Amino acid sequence: MNGTNSKAKVPKVPPVIKVESSAPKVIEKFKKLEAVGNAFFLERRDVIHTGSLAIMTKMHHAQLGEPGTGKSLVVEMFCKSIRGARFFKQLVGRDMHKDELLGTISLKGVTQDEDYRRNVDGMLPTAHVVFLDELGNAGDTLFANLYEVMNERTMTNGRTRISLPLISLFTGMNYLPQATAFDALYARIGFRLFVEQMREYDNFKQMIRNTETQKEPDTSGVDLTLEDVRAVHQAVPLVVIPDRAIEAMWEIRKAMNAAGYRVDNRKCVWLLNSVCKAEALYNGRVEVEEEDLEVLQHCLWDTPSDRQKVREIVLKVCNPVLEESLKFVDDVQRVIRDGEAFERQSIDRKALLSKWLEVNDEITGIIEKVGKRIQETSGRSQQVLLDAAKSIEALHRGVLENKL
């Protein structure tokens, strides 16, 4: 044996993880779609990205916010951009009957077969992507019908139970309903996004310019197909969850529970195996990294008042510098809101000018803090702070040009 030990251990070679071969090309299409959307819908980057993830994971997606914030336009961009997919859209009213969503009872079925089956063609049961505007308006009975559709992707149709091709259901709501029946439905909505009116002056101006020439983003060059989406559905489960990602999930769950938010085992499994894997795939990885859990800030809150605390908990585990950067932007927005509140109450021009000068001084102080942190960091952390500095600069410019 040439003097070698025949029982010597051969080091194990890590297995090669093969992701669906077409997935990287499909991810580029999703990124192209997001780029088109972000160029048209300003300050909606998180809404648009989680829309992609919803399609990639077959999860449902909700936007919550006051009227006039473009909730439906963003959703329609996704719904209309998947070639070969059937799209169903309906505004939900308080007295809406399930026939308006699921289809009317077939007269032929009743008279000939005594089978109370529905005419589902062109209705929700045949759609791949669904947009129910103001879902919260639905009554308890409709909530119960939609629960089966959203959770099981099935529906009882006469004497038979049919499978539905539904990929994702999107909704936009002005408020969260108080109905207990809505709670079970809401628990099945993986992504929750809160949308506000435009905050940055530059973005507001660009929004006006965009709508002068076109009413909606042009997604014709994206060429995302239903087959592409199905290829991603096959690729997401192949992404690996290493121990470090599980540890990060554990820390988030522990911190959430300590803060009084309930995150159960089922939800942790659900989010890691779908959202985090899809985020890793989107980022070109075959393993989930801690930063892929950042997106959970849009999955773990129940009411808008919880958003900032949940974001803080998630990002402190996954990306503390990003949380620090967002806090700087939050502080600037808070200072500006204080100035706007004073402006609504004061008619004294001198006092008003003094208030906005005070706002300017506070923003300048925050800018100096951000600049110091940029000098102290490097690489990805520095870029995150530079992005925050850019947002703060735009907010500051709006104050200088419109208030002083």
Side-chain angles (χ1 to χ4, degrees):
M1 303 296 289
N2 297 326
T4 59
N5 185 354
S6 61
K7 295 184 179 180
K9 292 184 179 179
V10 178
K12 290 184 178 180
V13 178
V16 177
I17 309 299
K18 291 184 178 181
V19 173
E20 170 65 35
S21 60
S22 61
K25 292 181 180 179
V26 178
I27 295 301
E28 289 307 311
K29 293 183 181 183
F30 273 106
K31 289 181 178 180
K32 188 174 182 179
L33 176 61
E34 289 190 26
V36 171
N38 287 325
F40 189 86
F41 300 110
L42 289 308
E43 299 184 21
R44 295 293 181 266
R45 190 170 296 274
D46 289 337
V47 173
I48 291 170
H49 181 54
T50 53
S52 290
L53 293 179
I55 297 292
M56 291 171 63
T57 57
K58 302 179 72 173
M59 292 177 71
H60 308 305
H61 187 284
Q63 294 178 72
L64 183 66
E66 60 185 275
T69 49
K71 296 188 291 293
S72 60
L73 290 175
V74 175
V75 173
E76 288 186 31
M77 179 191 75
F78 276 102
C79 296
K80 295 176 179 178
S81 64
I82 306 174
R83 183 159 50 86
R86 292 186 293 273
F87 169 46
F88 178 80
K89 173 186 175 182
Q90 183 64 274
L91 173 64
V92 178
R94 295 189 183 280
D95 299 320
M96 174 174 280
H97 192 272
K98 61 184 177 181
D99 290 1
E100 297 177 65
L101 299 180
L102 305 181
T104 56
I105 298 296
S106 168
L107 216 51
K108 181 179 179 181
V110 174
T111 56
Q112 294 186 4
D113 307 321
E114 296 184 354
D115 184 5
Y116 286 80
R117 60 179 179 270
R118 296 182 178 276
N119 294 309
V120 297
D121 288 348
M123 304 300 287
L124 186 153
T126 63
H128 296 99
V129 182
V130 172
F131 175 41
L132 297 184
D133 200 8
E134 295 300 338
L135 176 61
N137 286 340
D140 289 1
T141 302
L142 195 53
F143 283 145
N145 291 126
L146 288 173
Y147 179 83
E148 180 185 6
V149 168
M150 293 171 64
N151 190 48
E152 305 293 338
R153 262 82 171 184
T154 61
M155 187 187 88
T156 301
N157 190 23
R159 297 194 188 100
T160 61
R161 191 177 182 84
I162 60 174
S163 296
L164 308 183
L166 178 65
I167 296 172
S168 297
L169 183 147
F170 290 81
T171 185
M173 297 181 287
N174 296 336
Y175 64 94
L176 282 176
Q178 299 300 313
T180 304
F182 181 72
D183 293 345
L185 205 66
Y186 191 51
R188 294 297 176 266
I189 297 176
F191 295 100
R192 295 96 179 263
L193 281 293
F194 186 78
V195 292
E196 300 177 277
Q197 300 290 349
M198 203 73 71
R199 297 300 307 176
E200 296 183 14
Y201 171 69
D202 289 354
N203 289 337
F204 177 79
K205 183 167 65 174
Q206 186 60 46
M207 176 186 69
I208 302 298
R209 296 299 181 213
N210 286 347
T211 53
E212 283 183 317
T213 56
Q214 59 186 106
K215 299 301 181 184
E216 59 184 24
D218 181 9
T219 61
S220 58
V222 175
D223 194 32
L224 183 65
T225 68
L226 186 59
E227 289 70 26
D228 290 334
V229 172
R230 287 169 175 160
V232 168
H233 292 165
Q234 293 176 355
V236 167
L238 302 179
V239 175
V240 174
I241 304 174
D243 285 350
R244 59 185 177 277
I246 297 174
E247 290 167 8
M249 185 76 250
W250 171 259
E251 292 301 322
I252 290 170
R253 177 180 179 271
K254 187 167 64 173
M256 289 283 291
N257 290 338
Y261 304 106
R262 183 174 180 271
V263 181
D264 58 34
N265 295 335
R266 180 180 62 184
K267 193 160 194 174
C268 291
V269 172
W270 183 38
L271 293 176
L272 267 178
N273 279 293
S274 54
V275 176
C276 299
K277 285 188 174 187
E279 180 72 354
L281 186 66
Y282 184 93
N283 291 321
R285 291 190 282 268
V286 295
E287 284 191 355
V288 176
E289 296 289 347
E290 290 94 326
E291 65 188 64
D292 296 319
L293 277 70
E294 292 172 17
V295 72
L296 298 185
Q297 63 181 291
H298 305 302
C299 304
L300 294 173
W301 61 266
D302 289 326
T303 63
S305 59
D306 298 335
R307 290 181 303 121
Q308 189 161 342
K309 181 61 179 177
V310 170
R311 186 197 76 189
E312 179 183 327
I313 289 171
V314 172
L315 294 186
K316 276 188 175 179
V317 173
C318 304
N319 193 341
V321 175
L322 178 57
E323 168 56 24
E324 182 185 18
S325 300
L326 293 174
K327 184 67 165 57
F328 283 133
V329 177
D330 288 345
D331 289 344
V332 171
Q333 292 177 334
R334 174 185 52 77
V335 169
I336 293 174
R337 283 196 297 269
D338 288 346
E340 291 169 342
F342 185 86
E343 188 174 57
R344 288 191 294 270
Q345 297 171 0
S346 177
I347 58 173
D348 186 333
R349 295 182 64 183
K350 186 176 179 180
L352 190 56
L353 176 60
S354 177
K355 177 62 177 179
W356 282 113
L357 287 170
E358 179 185 318
V359 168
N360 179 63
D361 289 342
E362 288 191 59
I363 294 175
T364 302
I366 295 170
I367 290 173
E368 291 174 356
K369 291 179 182 178
V370 175
K372 184 179 178 182
R373 289 292 291 125
I374 289 172
Q375 292 178 348
E376 294 171 349
T377 56
S378 61
R380 184 170 181 266
S381 295
Q382 187 179 69
Q383 186 58 54
V384 167
L385 287 160
L386 286 168
D387 291 342
K390 185 178 179 181
S391 295
I392 292 170
E393 180 185 344
L395 291 166
H396 191 205
R397 186 162 51 250
V399 170
L400 294 175
E401 292 181 5
N402 298 292
K403 305 299 183 182
L404 294 175

mmCIF file of all heavy atoms in Angstrom, residues 277-297:
data_model
loop_
_atom_site.group_PDB
_atom_site.id
_atom_site.type_symbol
_atom_site.label_atom_id
_atom_site.label_comp_id
_atom_site.label_asym_id
_atom_site.label_seq_id
_atom_site.Cartn_x
_atom_site.Cartn_y
_atom_site.Cartn_z
ATOM 1 N N LYS A 277 -35.752 31.638 1.938
ATOM 2 C CA LYS A 277 -35.157 30.911 0.813
ATOM 3 C C LYS A 277 -35.306 31.691 -0.486
ATOM 4 O O LYS A 277 -34.373 31.761 -1.293
ATOM 5 C CB LYS A 277 -35.798 29.526 0.677
ATOM 6 C CG LYS A 277 -35.352 28.517 1.723
ATOM 7 C CD LYS A 277 -35.887 27.127 1.378
ATOM 8 C CE LYS A 277 -35.331 26.064 2.322
ATOM 9 N NZ LYS A 277 -35.715 24.707 1.903
ATOM 10 N N ALA A 278 -36.480 32.276 -0.699
ATOM 11 C CA ALA A 278 -36.704 33.058 -1.919
ATOM 12 C C ALA A 278 -35.807 34.294 -1.949
ATOM 13 O O ALA A 278 -35.267 34.654 -2.999
ATOM 14 C CB ALA A 278 -38.171 33.468 -2.010
ATOM 15 N N GLU A 279 -35.629 34.919 -0.805
ATOM 16 C CA GLU A 279 -34.753 36.106 -0.738
ATOM 17 C C GLU A 279 -33.311 35.726 -1.047
ATOM 18 O O GLU A 279 -32.598 36.445 -1.746
ATOM 19 C CB GLU A 279 -34.858 36.745 0.652
ATOM 20 C CG GLU A 279 -34.005 37.971 0.862
ATOM 21 C CD GLU A 279 -34.504 39.214 0.130
ATOM 22 O OE1 GLU A 279 -35.475 39.119 -0.648
ATOM 23 O OE2 GLU A 279 -33.907 40.290 0.338
ATOM 24 N N ALA A 280 -32.885 34.580 -0.537
ATOM 25 C CA ALA A 280 -31.531 34.111 -0.845
ATOM 26 C C ALA A 280 -31.384 33.839 -2.341
ATOM 27 O O ALA A 280 -30.387 34.231 -2.959
ATOM 28 C CB ALA A 280 -31.220 32.847 -0.038
ATOM 29 N N LEU A 281 -32.371 33.167 -2.926
ATOM 30 C CA LEU A 281 -32.336 32.882 -4.356
ATOM 31 C C LEU A 281 -32.299 34.177 -5.159
ATOM 32 O O LEU A 281 -31.542 34.302 -6.130
ATOM 33 C CB LEU A 281 -33.563 32.055 -4.743
ATOM 34 C CG LEU A 281 -33.618 31.548 -6.188
ATOM 35 C CD1 LEU A 281 -32.515 30.529 -6.449
ATOM 36 C CD2 LEU A 281 -34.992 30.931 -6.475
ATOM 37 N N TYR A 282 -33.093 35.150 -4.751
ATOM 38 C CA TYR A 282 -33.115 36.461 -5.417
ATOM 39 C C TYR A 282 -31.737 37.117 -5.367
ATOM 40 O O TYR A 282 -31.315 37.785 -6.306
ATOM 41 C CB TYR A 282 -34.157 37.357 -4.743
ATOM 42 C CG TYR A 282 -34.347 38.703 -5.400
ATOM 43 C CD1 TYR A 282 -35.323 38.885 -6.370
ATOM 44 C CD2 TYR A 282 -33.555 39.794 -5.047
ATOM 45 C CE1 TYR A 282 -35.507 40.117 -6.975
ATOM 46 C CE2 TYR A 282 -33.725 41.031 -5.654
ATOM 47 C CZ TYR A 282 -34.702 41.182 -6.618
ATOM 48 O OH TYR A 282 -34.869 42.413 -7.221
ATOM 49 N N ASN A 283 -31.042 36.913 -4.262
ATOM 50 C CA ASN A 283 -29.716 37.505 -4.077
ATOM 51 C C ASN A 283 -28.590 36.646 -4.654
ATOM 52 O O ASN A 283 -27.413 36.919 -4.405
ATOM 53 C CB ASN A 283 -29.456 37.776 -2.588
ATOM 54 C CG ASN A 283 -30.326 38.900 -2.058
ATOM 55 O OD1 ASN A 283 -30.548 39.894 -2.745
ATOM 56 N ND2 ASN A 283 -30.839 38.747 -0.850
ATOM 57 N N GLY A 284 -28.945 35.583 -5.391
ATOM 58 C CA GLY A 284 -27.952 34.778 -6.088
ATOM 59 C C GLY A 284 -27.245 33.762 -5.221
ATOM 60 O O GLY A 284 -26.131 33.328 -5.536
ATOM 61 N N ARG A 285 -27.890 33.342 -4.137
ATOM 62 C CA ARG A 285 -27.258 32.396 -3.223
ATOM 63 C C ARG A 285 -28.010 31.072 -3.185
ATOM 64 O O ARG A 285 -29.206 31.037 -3.467
ATOM 65 C CB ARG A 285 -27.201 32.995 -1.807
ATOM 66 C CG ARG A 285 -26.241 34.166 -1.680
ATOM 67 C CD ARG A 285 -26.068 34.518 -0.216
ATOM 68 N NE ARG A 285 -27.205 35.271 0.299
ATOM 69 C CZ ARG A 285 -27.270 36.592 0.305
ATOM 70 N NH1 ARG A 285 -26.287 37.311 -0.205
ATOM 71 N NH2 ARG A 285 -28.322 37.218 0.812
ATOM 72 N N VAL A 286 -27.293 30.002 -2.807
ATOM 73 C CA VAL A 286 -27.922 28.699 -2.627
ATOM 74 C C VAL A 286 -28.071 28.362 -1.149
ATOM 75 O O VAL A 286 -28.570 27.298 -0.799
ATOM 76 C CB VAL A 286 -27.124 27.581 -3.343
ATOM 77 C CG1 VAL A 286 -27.142 27.807 -4.841
ATOM 78 C CG2 VAL A 286 -25.695 27.504 -2.817
ATOM 79 N N GLU A 287 -27.631 29.269 -0.281
ATOM 80 C CA GLU A 287 -27.818 29.137 1.165
ATOM 81 C C GLU A 287 -28.374 30.444 1.719
ATOM 82 O O GLU A 287 -28.044 31.519 1.241
ATOM 83 C CB GLU A 287 -26.493 28.827 1.887
ATOM 84 C CG GLU A 287 -26.011 27.414 1.741
ATOM 85 C CD GLU A 287 -24.859 27.104 2.694
ATOM 86 O OE1 GLU A 287 -24.386 28.033 3.398
ATOM 87 O OE2 GLU A 287 -24.450 25.941 2.742
ATOM 88 N N VAL A 288 -29.215 30.312 2.736
ATOM 89 C CA VAL A 288 -29.773 31.487 3.390
ATOM 90 C C VAL A 288 -28.716 32.116 4.293
ATOM 91 O O VAL A 288 -28.081 31.427 5.099
ATOM 92 C CB VAL A 288 -31.014 31.104 4.224
ATOM 93 C CG1 VAL A 288 -31.538 32.308 4.997
ATOM 94 C CG2 VAL A 288 -32.104 30.523 3.333
ATOM 95 N N GLU A 289 -28.515 33.419 4.146
ATOM 96 C CA GLU A 289 -27.630 34.174 5.027
ATOM 97 C C GLU A 289 -28.485 34.999 5.991
ATOM 98 O O GLU A 289 -29.675 35.211 5.754
ATOM 99 C CB GLU A 289 -26.723 35.101 4.209
ATOM 100 C CG GLU A 289 -25.761 34.390 3.276
ATOM 101 C CD GLU A 289 -24.635 33.678 4.017
ATOM 102 O OE1 GLU A 289 -24.468 33.930 5.220
ATOM 103 O OE2 GLU A 289 -23.932 32.871 3.386
ATOM 104 N N GLU A 290 -27.833 35.478 7.054
ATOM 105 C CA GLU A 290 -28.567 36.265 8.049
ATOM 106 C C GLU A 290 -29.280 37.454 7.413
ATOM 107 O O GLU A 290 -30.412 37.781 7.772
ATOM 108 C CB GLU A 290 -27.627 36.759 9.161
ATOM 109 C CG GLU A 290 -27.121 35.667 10.076
ATOM 110 C CD GLU A 290 -25.768 35.130 9.635
ATOM 111 O OE1 GLU A 290 -25.512 35.067 8.410
ATOM 112 O OE2 GLU A 290 -24.960 34.777 10.522
ATOM 113 N N GLU A 291 -28.641 38.096 6.440
ATOM 114 C CA GLU A 291 -29.241 39.283 5.823
ATOM 115 C C GLU A 291 -30.504 38.951 5.047
ATOM 116 O O GLU A 291 -31.329 39.837 4.777
ATOM 117 C CB GLU A 291 -28.236 39.983 4.916
ATOM 118 C CG GLU A 291 -27.810 39.181 3.704
ATOM 119 C CD GLU A 291 -26.675 39.861 2.953
ATOM 120 O OE1 GLU A 291 -25.571 40.006 3.527
ATOM 121 O OE2 GLU A 291 -26.900 40.251 1.801
ATOM 122 N N ASP A 292 -30.689 37.683 4.669
ATOM 123 C CA ASP A 292 -31.908 37.294 3.966
ATOM 124 C C ASP A 292 -33.124 37.313 4.886
ATOM 125 O O ASP A 292 -34.263 37.241 4.410
ATOM 126 C CB ASP A 292 -31.747 35.906 3.344
ATOM 127 C CG ASP A 292 -30.678 35.872 2.266
ATOM 128 O OD1 ASP A 292 -30.610 36.838 1.478
ATOM 129 O OD2 ASP A 292 -29.893 34.904 2.225
ATOM 130 N N LEU A 293 -32.891 37.402 6.186
ATOM 131 C CA LEU A 293 -33.992 37.483 7.146
ATOM 132 C C LEU A 293 -34.478 38.915 7.352
ATOM 133 O O LEU A 293 -35.476 39.140 8.046
ATOM 134 C CB LEU A 293 -33.594 36.876 8.497
ATOM 135 C CG LEU A 293 -33.708 35.346 8.625
ATOM 136 C CD1 LEU A 293 -32.658 34.638 7.783
ATOM 137 C CD2 LEU A 293 -33.588 34.916 10.082
ATOM 138 N N GLU A 294 -33.780 39.895 6.766
ATOM 139 C CA GLU A 294 -34.184 41.300 6.915
ATOM 140 C C GLU A 294 -35.617 41.513 6.452
ATOM 141 O O GLU A 294 -36.362 42.311 7.026
ATOM 142 C CB GLU A 294 -33.254 42.209 6.102
ATOM 143 C CG GLU A 294 -31.840 42.295 6.620
ATOM 144 C CD GLU A 294 -30.929 43.059 5.664
ATOM 145 O OE1 GLU A 294 -31.462 43.778 4.787
ATOM 146 O OE2 GLU A 294 -29.699 42.952 5.795
ATOM 147 N N VAL A 295 -36.006 40.802 5.407
ATOM 148 C CA VAL A 295 -37.331 40.994 4.820
ATOM 149 C C VAL A 295 -38.451 40.584 5.778
ATOM 150 O O VAL A 295 -39.613 40.968 5.596
ATOM 151 C CB VAL A 295 -37.430 40.204 3.489
ATOM 152 C CG1 VAL A 295 -37.511 38.709 3.738
ATOM 153 C CG2 VAL A 295 -38.606 40.685 2.652
ATOM 154 N N LEU A 296 -38.119 39.848 6.845
ATOM 155 C CA LEU A 296 -39.146 39.423 7.801
ATOM 156 C C LEU A 296 -39.767 40.597 8.549
ATOM 157 O O LEU A 296 -40.817 40.446 9.174
ATOM 158 C CB LEU A 296 -38.556 38.419 8.803
ATOM 159 C CG LEU A 296 -38.028 37.108 8.211
ATOM 160 C CD1 LEU A 296 -37.594 36.164 9.312
ATOM 161 C CD2 LEU A 296 -39.067 36.449 7.309
ATOM 162 N N GLN A 297 -39.127 41.767 8.479
ATOM 163 C CA GLN A 297 -39.734 42.956 9.087
ATOM 164 C C GLN A 297 -41.085 43.264 8.443
ATOM 165 O O GLN A 297 -41.913 43.955 9.039
ATOM 166 C CB GLN A 297 -38.810 44.162 8.948
ATOM 167 C CG GLN A 297 -38.552 44.582 7.502
ATOM 168 C CD GLN A 297 -37.632 45.758 7.378
ATOM 169 O OE1 GLN A 297 -37.995 46.873 7.746
ATOM 170 N NE2 GLN A 297 -36.420 45.524 6.875
#
